């Protein structure tokens, strides 16, 4: 390719024209002419850099930057949480109504209890969202001691159901202390790791007392109640806290090997777990039973739902084909009644919740805040991922509920309280004039009010100050007399100003 000369003189000298073409190509940056006259296109940004640029641009346009942050992260967390809770109450009513009627109870029994705990949980969530998280740090040791005491009481006076002993009867309700232990452990680990921040590069300070005896004691008490699923979630919370605290990565490799060996030992020593693993791999148990029928019928429910489902309340698998359909396998009922579209909506809501919480985590400068928010994020999203993997047959059956959706008052209450802690951190990132003040002023109306405040503040900062005129400058530099000040202060609004008296006029 020969460069086109820009001047008539360059056309008579080919060497000059070639050099001119190379210079032009190097200035524009679109092509570079070589010695042979060929053009080489300049390298553009890499795909990963483009994705990061689009991501940052999207969130900057959505939330703003600097002092113009409108708090969209706060409202995304709040909105997705309330939406998932509402979907959970609706699906609990649909999935539990048939078995409740068959047992001679009201069809609204389970949904009524779920709604009651949802109301209490939403109230606690908004209370915690208005509390400074630093105040929670003072009760961390009390919370972890209370968690140990409750877990011991479960083994002594607790109630056993479906092979697991992890409930305590409190009047007409049942409470699951292992759910409260998740939040207490996350708060306690964040407090201890923050206090030992300068010593975490040493293995003994990173593991003691966070892992030994803290997390290991909680996991041991839960396993004594034969609840492997909850113990797995507590392991995830512990690993997340250590990761966000900046612990050396080789410790995670050692912990992974130890956990793999421990899981294999627990699986081999339990015939029920061995049978579940064999059924999951397509084999038959030694006694000929199929304990994987729950997952099999869950797949039938997802397959029969199709794109748009069979209709809300029209599930067939909830007629005792899926045990605990309103609890661990409620995602299968969602897929059957609402179809693939319904399951995608739930996945999108969890993705929005996880992305918004992740933005809160990465924005934290304090180690305590970062560890606490990161542990809660991994807790909720990890539990949701494992539940969906079990329902879809990707993992063997373990008793893990779907956060905000599965039936269970203790799990719903503690999940909403955890979201309240994250909302407190997200609210602290907003400008003071943009923060929601009232406890119950939330939703689209509150978000619109925040946007109006932001626009008004922006207009106020951009409006130039008017220069004072000559009369204003004269009035500002001239001190008022005492009589004038007194008369103006005593004069009523709207009254006429009396004419000044003429001192030269004689009195009659």
């Amino acid at each position: 390719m020969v460069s086109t000369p820009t001047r008539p003189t360059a056309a008579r000298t080919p060497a000059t024209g070639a050099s001119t073409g190379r210079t032009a190509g190097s200035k524009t940056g679109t092509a570079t002419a070589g010695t042979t006259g060929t053009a080489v296109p300049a390298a553009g940004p890499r795909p990963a850099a483009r994705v990061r640029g689009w991501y940052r641009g999207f969130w900057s346009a959505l939330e703003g930057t600097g002092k113009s942050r409108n708090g969209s992260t706060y409202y995304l967390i709040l909105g997705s949480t309330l939406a998932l809770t509402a979907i959970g109450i609706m699906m609990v009513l649909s999935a539990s109504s048939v078995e409740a009627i068959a047992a001679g109870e009201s069809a609204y029994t389970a949904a009524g209890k779920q709604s009651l705990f949802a109301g209490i949980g939403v109230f606690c969530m908004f209370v915690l969202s208005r509390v400074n998280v630093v105040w929670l740090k003072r009760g961390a040791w009390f919370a972890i001691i209370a968690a140990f005491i409750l877990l011991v009481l479960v083994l002594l006076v607790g109630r056993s159901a479906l092979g697991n002993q992890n409930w305590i009867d409190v009047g007409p309700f049942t409470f699951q202390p292992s759910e409260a232990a998740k939040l207490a452990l996350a708060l306690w680990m964040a407090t201890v790791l923050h206090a030992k921040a300068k010593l975490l590069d040493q293995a003994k300070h990173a593991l003691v007392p966070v892992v030994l005896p803290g997390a290991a004691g909680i996991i041991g008490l839960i396993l004594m109640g034969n609840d492997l699923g909850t113990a797995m979630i507590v392991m995830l919370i512990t690993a997340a806290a250590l990761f966000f605290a900046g612990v050396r990565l080789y410790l995670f490799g050692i912990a992974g090997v130890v956990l793999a060996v421990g899981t294999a030992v627990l699986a081999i020593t339990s015939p029920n777990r061995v049978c579940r693993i064999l059924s999951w791999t397509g084999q038959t148990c030694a006694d000929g039973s199929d304990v994987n029928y729950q997952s099999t019928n869950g797949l039938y429910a997802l397959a029969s739902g199709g794109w748009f489902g069979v209709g809300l309340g029209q599930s067939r698998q909830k007629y005792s084909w899926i045990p605990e359909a309103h609890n661990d396998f409620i995602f299968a009922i969602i897929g059957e009644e609402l179809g693939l579209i319904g399951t995608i909506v739930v996945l999108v809501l969890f993705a929005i919740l996880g992305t918004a919480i992740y933005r809160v985590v990465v924005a934290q400068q304090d180690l305590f805040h970062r560890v606490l928010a990161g542990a809660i994020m991994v807790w909720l999203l990890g539990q949701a991922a494992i539940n969906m993997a079990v329902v879809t047959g990707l993992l063997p059956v373990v008793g893990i509920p779907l956060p905000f959706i599965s039936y269970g008052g203790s799990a719903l209450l503690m999940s909403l309280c955890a979201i309240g802690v994250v909302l407190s951190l997200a609210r602290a990132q907003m400008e003071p004039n943009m923060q929601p003040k009232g406890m119950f002023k939330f939703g689209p109306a509150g978000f619109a009010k925040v946007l109006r405040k932001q626009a008004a503040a922006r207009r106020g900062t951009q409006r130039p100050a008017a220069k004072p005129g000559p009369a204003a400058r004269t009035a500002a530099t001239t001190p008022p007399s005492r009589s004038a000040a007194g008369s103006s202060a005593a004069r009523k609004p709207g009254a006429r100003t009396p004419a000044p008296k003429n001192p030269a006029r004689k009195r009659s």
Side-chain angles (χ1 to χ4, degrees), residues 155 162-166 220-229 270 272-273:
L155 300 177
L162 300 176
N164 295 343
Q165 186 173 351
N166 49 9
L221 291 174
I222 293 174
L223 288 176
M224 291 176 67
N226 201 27
D227 191 358
L228 180 60
S270 175
N272 185 21
R273 296 187 185 119

Side-chain angles (χ1 to χ4, degrees), residues 122-142:
V122 169
F123 176 78
C124 295
M125 179 182 69
F126 279 101
V127 170
L128 289 174
S129 68
R130 298 302 188 269
V131 175
N132 192 342
V133 180
V134 178
W135 288 92
L136 300 178
K137 187 190 301 184
R138 303 180 180 181
W141 283 94
F142 172 78

Side-chain angles (χ1 to χ4, degrees), residues 52-63:
R52 286 195 298 267
W54 292 339
Y55 175 80
R56 293 171 182 171
F58 169 75
W59 280 104
S60 298
L62 180 64
E63 189 175 34

Side-chain angles (χ1 to χ4, degrees), residues 51 68 97 111 162 166 177 194 208 238 245 317 322 324 355 369 376 393 414 428 465 467 494 498:
V51 172
S68 63
S97 58
L162 300 176
N166 49 9
H194 177 264
V208 180
T238 305
Q317 296 295 325
I322 300 179
E324 298 295 319
T355 305
H369 296 166
I376 292 174
M414 291 298 106
K467 295 182 179 181

Side-chain angles (χ1 to χ4, degrees), residues 8 87 99 108 119 137 142 176 211 259 263 277 343 433 457 467:
I87 292 174
E99 293 186 357
Y108 302 95
K137 187 190 301 184
F142 172 78
Q176 190 173 356
V211 178
L259 290 178
T263 304
I277 296 174
T343 58
N433 59 337
K467 295 182 179 181

Side-chain angles (χ1 to χ4, degrees), residues 145-191:
I145 293 173
F148 270 100
I149 294 174
L150 290 175
L151 289 175
V152 172
L153 288 178
V154 167
L155 300 177
L156 298 177
V157 298
R159 182 172 60 87
S160 178
L162 300 176
N164 295 343
Q165 186 173 351
N166 49 9
W167 285 276
I168 294 179
D169 292 328
V170 183
F173 302 99
T174 58
F175 180 70
Q176 190 173 356
S178 57
E179 294 293 335
K182 297 176 184 177
L183 183 58
L185 182 63
L187 178 62
W188 177 76
M189 286 191 298
T191 304

